[in-house]
Amino acid sequence: MDTEGLSVICSGLGSFDEDNEGDIKYTKDNFCLDNLKDLLRFLRRDDPETRDVFKQVCKWNIVGKNLIPIIEYFQDDRNLVLNAVKVLVFLTMPIEASSKDDNLQLEYLWGIKSAFTSSDVVAVVVSLLEKPLENLECMAFSDDDWKLVQLVLTLFRNILAVQDISIHQKALGSANQLITLRDDFLERLFKENVMDLIIIITQHIGGSCPYLRRDNMLLLEIYHYIFMCQDPELIAKSMDDSKVDEVAKAGLDGLEHIMQEEAAKRRQARLHSSRHSQLGATFTRLTLDGSKTMCKGVPTSASCDKLLKPEKVHRGASKKVVKDYTQVPTTKRSLLEKLLLMQSVIVDIEKEHDSIQASDVLMFFHLAQFATSFQYHKAVM
């Protein structure tokens, strides 16, 4: 690996600087876009077994220092944001079974997930889907639209897939903190309407659009990671059917409203001179019970502003920390119900499609078992 060349590329992305008014802002380099493309080439040539480029980029914290600020500060530069997202997709790819230093890689992936969760980057990434999903609704969905949707879905799949906890992290006492981070990221996706958009995309799998049919396994993986470690009985009992129907209808008919809401959030974000600005604003947020609330202040999740610091390891008896799930997002129930639309996966499994692997079949049956349990508890309520 050309470490010196990689260093030159990463240092040429940009940096945080203080302006004349004393505010800290991220300033991109004149050749930021070219350097992003060069970084992408480095990652494409990275050895899947050693992943030296990945580990070096994570060691320098390029995601937190450069990639996320680029997406947040220059969200109107679509080409720049798109290339930053492509780099993030490569950096967050799941660890290969034959890869070395998998524990170190896993710790780096958790670091990326933490940086992603504690920022406002999800809303900007979702905005990339505005035009493709409009075209999908208008029956004008193109090959380029499909590639963009696939890129964004892959990024969310990759981050959702960061679930395992390394032996080293457990030894440090960080397990409970990482579980909380996992749930905070899910909460972030619900708040930014990502789950509603996934429902909309899923509903078109069996429709007239031939492109999305190719991504049925990608969507299945997303559902799998969403419901991993969740309780189907708790989800079934969390909300009444009238509220679920309202959310389901919003998923069908509310695309324009969703994108308008995301645009409003991005406009509010532009009021900040930096990510740490104290300038207030009025905005709406989706609460865990699916309702919307009016808030004042900076639109960030306070629960995500914690760094991944190791917890103190207490010897002897320890108290298990369990997050309160008395109110589960209504959309999660809708997601389970829309799982019935994934009939295309069954067809591929029955036909023994070349793209289907044994792990995919196992994942499908795990989800089928989860959905069956959910339907049972829903029926006996």
Side-chain angles (χ1 to χ4, degrees):
M1 180 185 69
D2 182 8
T3 307
E4 184 178 351
L6 182 62
S7 175
V8 171
I9 290 172
C10 292
S11 62
L13 293 174
S15 61
F16 280 100
D17 298 304
E18 185 175 339
D19 61 17
N20 296 331
E21 298 179 356
D23 295 323
I24 304 297
K25 293 184 177 181
Y26 186 85
T27 305
K28 67 182 179 70
D29 190 271
N30 293 333
F31 300 99
C32 179
L33 179 59
D34 293 331
N35 286 321
L36 281 175
K37 293 178 179 179
D38 288 339
L39 179 56
L40 195 58
R41 294 187 189 98
F42 260 87
L43 289 167
R44 282 174 173 160
R45 296 194 299 264
D46 200 10
D47 188 333
E49 289 192 4
T50 61
R51 295 191 75 182
D52 291 329
V53 176
F54 161 81
K55 287 185 285 190
Q56 190 62 63
V57 169
C58 290
K59 184 178 180 180
W60 290 335
N61 190 26
I62 299 303
V63 172
K65 288 167 55 179
N66 298 100
L67 297 179
I68 287 179
I70 286 172
I71 294 174
E72 286 185 329
Y73 280 84
F74 303 99
Q75 51 191 269
D76 290 330
D77 191 334
R78 184 179 177 83
N79 197 19
L80 195 67
V81 170
L82 188 58
N83 278 275
V85 170
K86 289 179 180 178
V87 173
L88 280 172
V89 168
F90 272 90
L91 284 173
T92 55
M93 290 300 290
I95 302 171
E96 295 284 345
S98 60
S99 187
K100 302 175 182 177
D101 296 328
D102 53 336
N103 283 334
L104 178 60
Q105 291 185 49
L106 186 57
E107 291 176 20
Y108 280 141
L109 286 173
W110 275 110
I112 294 175
K113 189 166 187 171
S114 176
F116 212 88
T117 305
S118 61
S119 70
D120 295 320
V121 73
V122 172
V124 184
V125 173
V126 168
S127 72
L128 294 174
L129 297 180
E130 182 173 359
K131 188 61 177 177
L133 292 181
E134 285 180 359
N135 291 339
L136 183 62
E137 293 289 305
C138 300
M139 306 293 289
F141 199 71
S142 66
D143 185 68
D144 289 338
D145 292 331
W146 166 63
K147 290 177 180 177
L148 184 52
V149 170
Q150 186 183 59
L151 180 73
V152 173
L153 288 180
T154 301
L155 177 60
F156 288 135
R157 186 280 310 270
N158 291 352
I159 302 178
L160 282 167
V162 182
Q163 303 264 356
D164 296 332
I165 300 174
S166 70
I167 297 175
H168 180 250
Q169 289 168 321
K170 291 178 181 178
L172 290 175
S174 301
N176 288 331
Q177 190 174 6
L178 295 175
I179 291 172
T180 301
L181 173 58
R182 179 197 67 192
D183 297 332
D184 286 344
F185 180 70
L186 270 179
E187 183 179 335
R188 169 73 72 172
L189 295 186
F190 281 113
K191 287 182 177 180
E192 301 296 351
N193 299 319
V194 174
M195 301 309 185
D196 289 321
L197 296 178
I198 290 175
I199 290 175
I200 293 172
I201 294 171
T202 303
Q203 289 170 338
H204 286 82
I205 288 289
S208 58
C209 179
Y211 296 104
L212 294 177
R213 175 67 174 77
R214 309 172 197 174
D215 289 327
N216 57 354
M217 293 309 303
L218 176 60
L219 282 165
L220 188 71
E221 284 186 82
I222 290 175
Y223 285 122
H224 170 72
Y225 292 122
I226 288 172
F227 295 115
M228 183 179 285
C229 303
Q230 302 295 330
D231 185 346
E233 181 179 3
L234 182 59
I235 297 175
K237 293 180 178 179
S238 61
M239 290 292 165
D240 60 77
D241 288 332
S242 61
K243 290 185 178 181
V244 174
D245 291 339
E246 290 175 6
V247 175
K249 185 177 186 301
L252 281 166
D253 305 324
L255 175 60
E256 183 178 357
H257 171 72
I258 291 172
M259 302 316 296
Q260 287 176 350
E261 185 174 302
E262 292 303 315
K265 292 176 184 178
R266 296 195 305 275
R267 284 195 296 270
Q268 294 294 348
R270 292 190 189 100
L271 296 176
H272 305 157
S273 59
S274 71
R275 284 188 295 171
H276 305 287
S277 173
Q278 299 302 313
L279 291 178
T282 302
F283 58 97
T284 60
R285 278 299 193 194
L286 294 178
T287 61
L288 283 176
D289 64 359
S291 62
K292 292 182 181 179
T293 58
M294 187 69 69
C295 306
K296 290 184 179 294
V298 180
T300 57
S301 176
S303 62
C304 298
D305 289 338
K306 304 179 293 293
L307 295 176
L308 276 177
K309 297 179 180 178
E311 298 177 353
K312 294 182 179 179
V313 181
H314 300 283
R315 304 303 177 188
S318 61
K319 182 179 179 180
K320 186 177 180 181
V321 178
V322 180
K323 188 169 182 177
D324 182 11
Y325 287 111
T326 55
Q327 290 188 335
V328 182
T330 308
T331 315
K332 193 174 288 187
R333 287 191 57 177
S334 301
L335 283 172
L336 268 176
E337 292 172 335
K338 301 310 173 189
L339 200 61
L340 299 175
L341 298 175
M342 298 294 286
Q343 298 296 325
S344 61
V345 177
I346 300 178
V347 174
D348 287 347
I349 292 176
E350 290 177 342
K351 291 182 177 180
E352 298 183 352
H353 195 278
D354 295 338
S355 63
I356 301 295
Q357 301 177 2
S359 59
D360 298 327
V361 178
L362 185 63
M363 186 184 303
F364 173 79
F365 280 109
H366 281 166
L367 265 177
Q369 181 183 25
F370 192 97
T372 302
S373 177
F374 164 76
Q375 291 294 345
Y376 167 76
H377 291 295
K378 180 183 175 185
V380 299
M381 284 176 57

